[in-house]
Short mmCIF file of all heavy atoms in Angstrom, two decimals:
data_model
loop_
_atom_site.label_atom_id
_atom_site.label_comp_id
_atom_site.label_asym_id
_atom_site.label_seq_id
_atom_site.Cartn_x
_atom_site.Cartn_y
_atom_site.Cartn_z
N SER N 55 -16.71 22.85 -10.77
CA SER N 55 -17.67 23.58 -9.94
C SER N 55 -18.38 22.61 -8.99
O SER N 55 -18.82 21.54 -9.41
CB SER N 55 -18.68 24.28 -10.84
OG SER N 55 -19.67 24.92 -10.08
N GLN N 56 -18.49 23.00 -7.71
CA GLN N 56 -19.17 22.16 -6.73
C GLN N 56 -20.25 22.95 -6.01
O GLN N 56 -20.09 24.14 -5.74
CB GLN N 56 -18.18 21.60 -5.71
CG GLN N 56 -17.20 20.62 -6.30
CD GLN N 56 -16.36 19.92 -5.25
OE1 GLN N 56 -15.15 20.10 -5.18
NE2 GLN N 56 -17.02 19.11 -4.42
N ASP N 57 -21.34 22.23 -5.68
CA ASP N 57 -22.47 22.89 -5.04
C ASP N 57 -23.19 21.90 -4.10
O ASP N 57 -23.35 20.74 -4.48
CB ASP N 57 -23.45 23.38 -6.11
CG ASP N 57 -24.61 24.13 -5.52
OD1 ASP N 57 -24.40 25.27 -5.02
OD2 ASP N 57 -25.73 23.58 -5.52
N PRO N 58 -23.57 22.31 -2.89
CA PRO N 58 -23.30 23.62 -2.29
C PRO N 58 -21.88 23.69 -1.74
O PRO N 58 -21.21 22.67 -1.60
CB PRO N 58 -24.32 23.66 -1.15
CG PRO N 58 -24.44 22.23 -0.72
CD PRO N 58 -24.34 21.43 -2.00
N ARG N 59 -21.43 24.86 -1.42
CA ARG N 59 -20.11 25.01 -0.82
C ARG N 59 -20.11 24.61 0.65
O ARG N 59 -19.11 24.11 1.16
CB ARG N 59 -19.64 26.46 -0.95
CG ARG N 59 -19.35 26.88 -2.39
CD ARG N 59 -18.13 26.17 -2.97
NE ARG N 59 -16.99 26.20 -2.06
CZ ARG N 59 -16.21 27.25 -1.88
NH1 ARG N 59 -16.43 28.36 -2.55
NH2 ARG N 59 -15.20 27.21 -1.02
N HIS N 60 -21.23 24.85 1.30
CA HIS N 60 -21.34 24.49 2.72
C HIS N 60 -22.72 23.88 2.96
O HIS N 60 -23.71 24.35 2.40
CB HIS N 60 -21.19 25.72 3.62
CG HIS N 60 -19.92 26.48 3.41
ND1 HIS N 60 -18.73 26.13 4.02
CD2 HIS N 60 -19.64 27.56 2.66
CE1 HIS N 60 -17.79 26.97 3.65
NE2 HIS N 60 -18.30 27.85 2.82
N LYS N 61 -22.75 22.85 3.80
CA LYS N 61 -24.01 22.22 4.15
C LYS N 61 -23.95 21.83 5.62
O LYS N 61 -23.04 21.13 6.05
CB LYS N 61 -24.25 20.98 3.29
CG LYS N 61 -25.53 20.23 3.59
CD LYS N 61 -26.74 20.99 3.14
CE LYS N 61 -28.02 20.19 3.36
NZ LYS N 61 -29.23 20.97 2.94
N ILE N 62 -24.93 22.33 6.37
CA ILE N 62 -25.06 21.93 7.77
C ILE N 62 -26.34 21.13 7.89
O ILE N 62 -27.40 21.57 7.44
CB ILE N 62 -25.11 23.16 8.70
CG1 ILE N 62 -23.83 23.97 8.56
CG2 ILE N 62 -25.29 22.71 10.16
CD1 ILE N 62 -23.85 25.28 9.32
N THR N 63 -26.25 19.95 8.48
CA THR N 63 -27.42 19.09 8.57
C THR N 63 -27.45 18.39 9.92
O THR N 63 -26.45 18.34 10.64
CB THR N 63 -27.41 18.06 7.43
OG1 THR N 63 -28.67 17.39 7.37
CG2 THR N 63 -26.33 17.00 7.64
N LYS N 64 -28.60 17.88 10.24
CA LYS N 64 -28.73 17.11 11.48
C LYS N 64 -28.46 15.63 11.19
O LYS N 64 -28.76 15.13 10.10
CB LYS N 64 -30.12 17.30 12.07
CG LYS N 64 -30.40 18.71 12.55
CD LYS N 64 -31.78 18.81 13.16
CE LYS N 64 -32.05 20.20 13.66
NZ LYS N 64 -33.42 20.34 14.23
N ARG N 65 -27.93 14.97 12.17
CA ARG N 65 -27.67 13.54 12.06
C ARG N 65 -28.93 12.80 11.61
O ARG N 65 -30.04 13.09 12.09
CB ARG N 65 -27.22 13.01 13.42
CG ARG N 65 -26.72 11.58 13.41
CD ARG N 65 -26.21 11.19 14.78
NE ARG N 65 -27.21 11.44 15.81
CZ ARG N 65 -26.98 11.32 17.11
NH1 ARG N 65 -25.78 11.01 17.55
NH2 ARG N 65 -27.94 11.55 17.98
N GLY N 66 -28.75 11.90 10.66
CA GLY N 66 -29.88 11.12 10.17
C GLY N 66 -30.50 11.64 8.89
O GLY N 66 -31.26 10.92 8.23
N GLN N 67 -30.17 12.89 8.54
CA GLN N 67 -30.70 13.46 7.30
C GLN N 67 -29.86 13.01 6.10
O GLN N 67 -28.72 12.59 6.25
CB GLN N 67 -30.70 14.99 7.38
CG GLN N 67 -31.58 15.54 8.48
CD GLN N 67 -33.05 15.25 8.24
OE1 GLN N 67 -33.58 15.57 7.18
NE2 GLN N 67 -33.71 14.61 9.20
N ASN N 68 -30.46 13.12 4.92
CA ASN N 68 -29.74 12.83 3.68
C ASN N 68 -29.22 14.12 3.07
O ASN N 68 -29.88 15.17 3.17
CB ASN N 68 -30.67 12.14 2.67
CG ASN N 68 -31.22 10.81 3.19
OD1 ASN N 68 -30.68 10.23 4.13
ND2 ASN N 68 -32.29 10.35 2.58
N VAL N 69 -28.06 14.05 2.46
CA VAL N 69 -27.50 15.21 1.77
C VAL N 69 -27.00 14.78 0.39
O VAL N 69 -26.61 13.63 0.19
CB VAL N 69 -26.33 15.86 2.55
CG1 VAL N 69 -26.83 16.41 3.87
CG2 VAL N 69 -25.20 14.90 2.75
N THR N 70 -27.01 15.72 -0.54
CA THR N 70 -26.52 15.46 -1.89
C THR N 70 -25.61 16.60 -2.33
O THR N 70 -25.96 17.77 -2.16
CB THR N 70 -27.67 15.31 -2.89
OG1 THR N 70 -28.49 14.22 -2.49
CG2 THR N 70 -27.13 15.05 -4.29
N PHE N 71 -24.47 16.24 -2.89
CA PHE N 71 -23.53 17.21 -3.44
C PHE N 71 -23.46 17.03 -4.95
O PHE N 71 -23.54 15.90 -5.45
CB PHE N 71 -22.14 17.03 -2.84
CG PHE N 71 -22.12 17.19 -1.35
CD1 PHE N 71 -21.79 16.12 -0.52
CD2 PHE N 71 -22.43 18.40 -0.76
CE1 PHE N 71 -21.77 16.25 0.85
CE2 PHE N 71 -22.42 18.54 0.61
CZ PHE N 71 -22.10 17.47 1.41
N ARG N 72 -23.24 18.15 -5.64
CA ARG N 72 -23.14 18.09 -7.09
C ARG N 72 -21.78 18.58 -7.53
O ARG N 72 -21.21 19.51 -6.94
CB ARG N 72 -24.22 18.96 -7.73
CG ARG N 72 -24.11 19.04 -9.25
CD ARG N 72 -25.17 19.90 -9.86
NE ARG N 72 -24.90 20.17 -11.28
CZ ARG N 72 -25.74 19.90 -12.25
NH1 ARG N 72 -26.95 19.40 -12.00
NH2 ARG N 72 -25.42 20.18 -13.51
N CYS N 73 -21.27 17.98 -8.58
CA CYS N 73 -19.99 18.39 -9.17
C CYS N 73 -20.15 18.51 -10.68
O CYS N 73 -20.62 17.58 -11.33
CB CYS N 73 -18.90 17.37 -8.84
SG CYS N 73 -17.34 17.68 -9.72
N ASP N 74 -19.72 19.64 -11.22
CA ASP N 74 -19.65 19.84 -12.66
C ASP N 74 -18.19 19.90 -13.06
O ASP N 74 -17.48 20.84 -12.68
CB ASP N 74 -20.38 21.12 -13.07
CG ASP N 74 -21.88 21.00 -12.96
OD1 ASP N 74 -22.43 21.30 -11.88
OD2 ASP N 74 -22.49 20.56 -13.95
N PRO N 75 -17.69 18.91 -13.80
CA PRO N 75 -16.28 18.88 -14.15
C PRO N 75 -15.96 19.87 -15.28
O PRO N 75 -16.87 20.47 -15.86
CB PRO N 75 -16.08 17.45 -14.64
CG PRO N 75 -17.41 17.09 -15.24
CD PRO N 75 -18.43 17.79 -14.38
N ILE N 76 -14.70 20.01 -15.58
CA ILE N 76 -14.28 20.76 -16.76
C ILE N 76 -14.84 20.04 -17.97
O ILE N 76 -14.80 18.81 -18.05
CB ILE N 76 -12.74 20.86 -16.81
CG1 ILE N 76 -12.27 21.71 -15.63
CG2 ILE N 76 -12.26 21.44 -18.13
CD1 ILE N 76 -10.76 21.72 -15.43
N SER N 77 -15.37 20.79 -18.92
CA SER N 77 -16.26 20.22 -19.93
C SER N 77 -15.64 19.10 -20.75
O SER N 77 -16.29 18.13 -21.07
CB SER N 77 -16.77 21.32 -20.85
OG SER N 77 -15.69 21.98 -21.47
N GLU N 78 -14.38 19.19 -21.11
CA GLU N 78 -13.80 18.15 -21.97
C GLU N 78 -13.17 16.99 -21.19
O GLU N 78 -12.55 16.11 -21.78
CB GLU N 78 -12.77 18.76 -22.92
CG GLU N 78 -11.56 19.35 -22.23
CD GLU N 78 -11.72 20.82 -21.90
OE1 GLU N 78 -12.87 21.26 -21.73
OE2 GLU N 78 -10.70 21.51 -21.80
N HIS N 79 -13.34 16.97 -19.88
CA HIS N 79 -12.74 15.93 -19.05
C HIS N 79 -13.66 14.73 -18.91
O HIS N 79 -14.81 14.84 -18.47
CB HIS N 79 -12.41 16.48 -17.67
CG HIS N 79 -11.23 17.39 -17.65
ND1 HIS N 79 -10.71 17.92 -16.48
CD2 HIS N 79 -10.43 17.85 -18.64
CE1 HIS N 79 -9.67 18.66 -16.77
NE2 HIS N 79 -9.48 18.66 -18.08
N ASN N 80 -13.13 13.56 -19.24
CA ASN N 80 -13.92 12.34 -19.16
C ASN N 80 -13.91 11.73 -17.76
O ASN N 80 -14.82 11.01 -17.39
CB ASN N 80 -13.37 11.31 -20.15
CG ASN N 80 -13.48 11.78 -21.58
OD1 ASN N 80 -12.57 12.41 -22.09
ND2 ASN N 80 -14.59 11.47 -22.21
N ARG N 81 -12.87 12.00 -17.01
CA ARG N 81 -12.73 11.36 -15.70
C ARG N 81 -13.16 12.31 -14.59
O ARG N 81 -12.85 13.50 -14.63
CB ARG N 81 -11.29 10.92 -15.48
CG ARG N 81 -10.88 9.82 -16.44
CD ARG N 81 -9.58 9.20 -16.02
NE ARG N 81 -9.28 8.06 -16.89
CZ ARG N 81 -8.37 7.16 -16.62
NH1 ARG N 81 -7.67 7.26 -15.51
NH2 ARG N 81 -8.14 6.17 -17.45
N LEU N 82 -13.85 11.75 -13.63
CA LEU N 82 -14.33 12.54 -12.51
C LEU N 82 -14.09 11.75 -11.24
O LEU N 82 -14.41 10.56 -11.15
CB LEU N 82 -15.82 12.86 -12.67
CG LEU N 82 -16.45 13.80 -11.63
CD1 LEU N 82 -17.56 14.62 -12.29
CD2 LEU N 82 -16.95 13.08 -10.41
N TYR N 83 -13.52 12.43 -10.23
CA TYR N 83 -13.13 11.78 -8.97
C TYR N 83 -13.82 12.48 -7.80
O TYR N 83 -14.01 13.69 -7.80
CB TYR N 83 -11.62 11.89 -8.75
CG TYR N 83 -10.76 11.24 -9.80
CD1 TYR N 83 -10.55 11.82 -11.04
CD2 TYR N 83 -10.12 10.03 -9.53
CE1 TYR N 83 -9.74 11.22 -11.99
CE2 TYR N 83 -9.31 9.42 -10.48
CZ TYR N 83 -9.12 10.03 -11.70
OH TYR N 83 -8.31 9.43 -12.64
N TRP N 84 -14.11 11.69 -6.77
CA TRP N 84 -14.55 12.23 -5.48
C TRP N 84 -13.52 11.85 -4.41
O TRP N 84 -13.10 10.68 -4.34
CB TRP N 84 -15.91 11.68 -5.08
CG TRP N 84 -17.07 12.26 -5.83
CD1 TRP N 84 -17.73 11.70 -6.89
CD2 TRP N 84 -17.73 13.50 -5.56
NE1 TRP N 84 -18.75 12.53 -7.31
CE2 TRP N 84 -18.77 13.64 -6.51
CE3 TRP N 84 -17.56 14.52 -4.62
CZ2 TRP N 84 -19.64 14.74 -6.55
CZ3 TRP N 84 -18.40 15.61 -4.65
CH2 TRP N 84 -19.43 15.72 -5.60
N TYR N 85 -13.16 12.85 -3.60
CA TYR N 85 -12.26 12.65 -2.47
C TYR N 85 -12.92 13.24 -1.23
O TYR N 85 -13.76 14.12 -1.31
CB TYR N 85 -10.92 13.35 -2.69
CG TYR N 85 -9.99 12.66 -3.66
CD1 TYR N 85 -10.15 12.78 -5.04
CD2 TYR N 85 -8.93 11.88 -3.19
CE1 TYR N 85 -9.30 12.14 -5.91
CE2 TYR N 85 -8.06 11.25 -4.06
CZ TYR N 85 -8.26 11.38 -5.42
OH TYR N 85 -7.41 10.74 -6.28
N ARG N 86 -12.49 12.77 -0.07
CA ARG N 86 -12.94 13.32 1.20
C ARG N 86 -11.73 13.75 2.01
O ARG N 86 -10.72 13.03 2.06
CB ARG N 86 -13.73 12.27 1.99
CG ARG N 86 -14.25 12.78 3.32
CD ARG N 86 -15.19 11.77 3.96
NE ARG N 86 -14.53 10.57 4.40
CZ ARG N 86 -15.16 9.51 4.87
NH1 ARG N 86 -16.48 9.49 4.93
NH2 ARG N 86 -14.48 8.46 5.26
N GLN N 87 -11.85 14.93 2.62
CA GLN N 87 -10.74 15.45 3.41
C GLN N 87 -11.24 15.89 4.78
O GLN N 87 -12.15 16.70 4.88
CB GLN N 87 -10.08 16.65 2.70
CG GLN N 87 -8.84 17.16 3.40
CD GLN N 87 -8.20 18.32 2.66
OE1 GLN N 87 -8.86 19.07 1.96
NE2 GLN N 87 -6.88 18.48 2.82
N THR N 88 -10.64 15.34 5.82
CA THR N 88 -10.94 15.78 7.18
C THR N 88 -9.83 16.69 7.67
O THR N 88 -8.73 16.74 7.09
CB THR N 88 -11.11 14.59 8.12
OG1 THR N 88 -9.95 13.74 8.02
CG2 THR N 88 -12.34 13.78 7.75
N LEU N 89 -10.10 17.40 8.73
CA LEU N 89 -9.19 18.44 9.22
C LEU N 89 -7.80 17.89 9.52
O LEU N 89 -7.65 16.89 10.22
CB LEU N 89 -9.78 19.06 10.49
CG LEU N 89 -9.22 20.43 10.88
CD1 LEU N 89 -9.52 21.45 9.79
CD2 LEU N 89 -9.82 20.88 12.21
N GLY N 90 -6.79 18.51 8.93
CA GLY N 90 -5.42 18.12 9.20
C GLY N 90 -4.93 16.91 8.42
O GLY N 90 -3.81 16.44 8.64
N GLN N 91 -5.77 16.41 7.53
CA GLN N 91 -5.41 15.24 6.74
C GLN N 91 -5.38 15.58 5.26
O GLN N 91 -5.96 16.57 4.82
CB GLN N 91 -6.42 14.10 6.97
CG GLN N 91 -6.58 13.68 8.42
CD GLN N 91 -5.31 13.07 8.97
OE1 GLN N 91 -4.70 12.20 8.34
NE2 GLN N 91 -4.91 13.50 10.16
N GLY N 92 -4.70 14.74 4.49
CA GLY N 92 -4.77 14.88 3.05
C GLY N 92 -6.06 14.27 2.53
O GLY N 92 -6.71 13.48 3.23
N PRO N 93 -6.47 14.62 1.33
CA PRO N 93 -7.68 14.02 0.75
C PRO N 93 -7.53 12.51 0.60
O PRO N 93 -6.44 12.01 0.31
CB PRO N 93 -7.78 14.70 -0.62
CG PRO N 93 -7.02 15.98 -0.47
CD PRO N 93 -5.90 15.66 0.46
N GLU N 94 -8.65 11.80 0.79
CA GLU N 94 -8.70 10.34 0.61
C GLU N 94 -9.66 10.01 -0.52
O GLU N 94 -10.77 10.55 -0.59
CB GLU N 94 -9.17 9.66 1.89
CG GLU N 94 -8.23 9.81 3.07
CD GLU N 94 -8.80 9.18 4.31
OE1 GLU N 94 -9.84 9.67 4.80
OE2 GLU N 94 -8.23 8.19 4.79
N PHE N 95 -9.24 9.10 -1.37
CA PHE N 95 -10.02 8.71 -2.53
C PHE N 95 -11.32 8.02 -2.11
O PHE N 95 -11.34 7.17 -1.23
CB PHE N 95 -9.19 7.76 -3.39
CG PHE N 95 -9.95 7.08 -4.49
CD1 PHE N 95 -10.22 7.74 -5.68
CD2 PHE N 95 -10.39 5.77 -4.34
CE1 PHE N 95 -10.93 7.10 -6.69
CE2 PHE N 95 -11.09 5.13 -5.34
CZ PHE N 95 -11.35 5.81 -6.52
N LEU N 96 -12.42 8.39 -2.77
CA LEU N 96 -13.71 7.73 -2.55
C LEU N 96 -14.13 6.90 -3.75
O LEU N 96 -14.42 5.71 -3.63
CB LEU N 96 -14.80 8.76 -2.24
CG LEU N 96 -14.68 9.53 -0.92
CD1 LEU N 96 -15.81 10.53 -0.79
CD2 LEU N 96 -14.66 8.58 0.27
#
Side-chain angles (χ1 to χ4, degrees):
Chain N
S55 176
Q56 292 189 246
D57 183 70
R59 292 292 312 283
H60 304 276
K61 179 71 176 178
I62 300 174
T63 191
K64 293 182 179 179
R65 189 176 53 187
Q67 298 294 306
N68 299 342
V69 296
T70 299
F71 301 115
R72 175 180 169 125
C73 172
D74 288 89
I76 294 171
S77 59
E78 64 269 27
H79 286 185
N80 298 90
R81 294 193 175 194
L82 186 148
Y83 299 77
W84 285 99
Y85 284 80
R86 180 172 69 187
Q87 185 179 28
T88 54
L89 199 62
Q91 303 295 313
E94 295 177 295
F95 170 80
L96 293 179

